[in-house]
Amino acid sequence: ALLVYSRVSTRTLADEVAAARPTRRQALEWARQIASALQAAHAQGIVHSDVRPDVVLVPDADRSLVVHGFGRARSSNTTDEHSTYGES
């Protein structure tokens, strides 16, 4: 499978949190957006397997988070733990 991303000029969530502590409202909104992205991936049978603040992007334009780093993602439909997306 091949995943294609838009080019996003941005900072990571790790950068954002290091620069300034988010408000509770902002942190909850970020958590909602990350959960929504992962839910969409899981609905397609894809498990990210390495979600952390430096693989979550905070775009400058609309501030909607982008979860990236699916190169090591795996299919939830396989029992082979070595079956990953992004590897041939």
Side-chain angles (χ1 to χ4, degrees):
L2 176 65
L3 299 174
V4 179
Y5 294 95
S6 301
R7 182 182 168 125
V8 179
S9 176
T10 190
R11 295 167 35 129
T12 67
L13 185 57
D15 295 334
E16 287 288 313
V17 172
R21 182 177 178 155
T23 64
R24 181 179 304 232
R25 178 177 288 199
Q26 184 63 68
L28 289 171
E29 176 59 20
W30 286 340
R32 186 196 65 74
Q33 289 180 31
I34 293 166
S36 177
L38 294 176
Q39 181 180 28
H42 293 174
Q44 297 299 313
I46 300 170
V47 178
H48 188 285
S49 75
D50 194 25
V51 178
R52 58 185 192 277
D54 62 323
V55 299
V56 177
L57 304 178
V58 183
D60 295 328
D62 64 7
R63 307 294 287 175
S64 294
L65 299 182
V66 176
V67 178
H68 78 101
F70 280 88
R72 299 286 301 165
R74 63 183 172 78
S75 171
S76 64
N77 298 325
T78 182
T79 57
D80 179 6
E81 66 184 47
H82 300 291
S83 178
T84 60
Y85 290 96
E87 293 183 356
S88 41

